Amino acid sequence: MRFYTTSHGPRCNSRTWPTFCQYCGQRVFYFTCDCGCKVFFDELGAPWPKHQCLGYLHSLIETYGREVIERGMAVMMMTPGIDRTYTTQVQQAYEREVWQPAPKKDIIRRDPVHDAREDVVGIVRELIDGVNVFKLLGTSDNWFSLAILGSLAKAECVQITIHTGALASADNYSFTFLVDKQLLMQQSIVKGALIRCQLRSLVVPGWKPIWICDRVRSPLEEN
Ligand SMILES: [Zn+2]
Ligand SMILES: [Zn+2]
């Protein structure tokens, strides 16, 4: 974690996504940058009011420890504030998104290649429950596919599509992956939620490669 004396902005790779608080359901904005900031705000722009519902505060304490929160670490990382030009850019980008909900940025679909691994943060755009892995692969459940798929063959899967583009950012990628429903049991993953996921490619000879997700986390969580 680094501490800067100037404000957070493009220089420290600041990224902001509109999302929902997973504890109270309110519209919030998640801000993160390479300095180590990980904050949910109620509003975009000065004075950047932090989201402070009880469920969220509790999760902060669980993640960082009560002592750290009480010392105001999250606040310290946020001083001395967020770059004004960056603020204007994200505000304008958000306004465009609200008025024109269809994706305006070019979205590049990222398909898996052999041995691919990705750790990505993005907004859930599509969620399909009860997906059959064999149907997705275009194969039947013969002994060969069963052997390669292992436990995934028996798992009840959810197919999720996320878009990684932050507000006012030029890059926007789309990832579609399968995740074992068991992994999602403790989290409320809905359309519009911001999640961090660990993906790996599953390549079965003769079939198109697919992304498999082994872990879904809140973007607040450390490694
Ligand atoms: Zn920063
Ligand atoms: Zn909340």
Side-chain angles (χ1 to χ4, degrees), residues 46-113:
W48 289 89
K50 283 188 208 67
H51 185 61
Q52 299 202 333
C53 75
L54 281 179
Y56 172 54
L57 284 179
H58 181 74
S59 86
L60 276 182
I61 290 166
E62 270 191 358
T63 308
Y64 297 106
R66 182 175 293 277
E67 211 181 311
V68 171
I69 298 301
E70 278 168 5
R71 282 206 313 260
M73 188 192 195
V75 179
M76 227 157 73
M77 281 191 281
M78 288 314 301
T79 51
I82 294 173
D83 185 88
R84 274 203 205 156
T85 312
Y86 176 76
T87 302
T88 309
Q89 284 170 351
V90 292
Q91 282 171 335
Q92 288 172 348
Y94 179 62
E95 247 161 67
R96 278 196 301 273
E97 230 171 73
V98 169
W99 292 106
Q100 299 172 300
K104 286 290 149 247
K105 293 168 269 186
D106 290 328
I107 300 169
I108 301 164
R109 187 190 158 98
R110 292 277 299 270
D111 285 314
V113 291

Side-chain angles (χ1 to χ4, degrees), residues 2 4 6-9 11-14 31-37 77 81:
R2 291 172 288 170
Y4 288 100
T6 53
S7 53
H8 305 284
R11 194 186 33 77
C12 60
N13 190 26
S14 293
F31 175 91
T32 186
C33 71
D34 291 349
C35 312
C37 298
M77 281 191 281

Side-chain angles (χ1 to χ4, degrees), residues 21-26 28 51 53 56:
C21 172
Q22 68 172 110
Y23 304 99
C24 68
Q26 193 190 302
V28 289
H51 185 61
C53 75
Y56 172 54

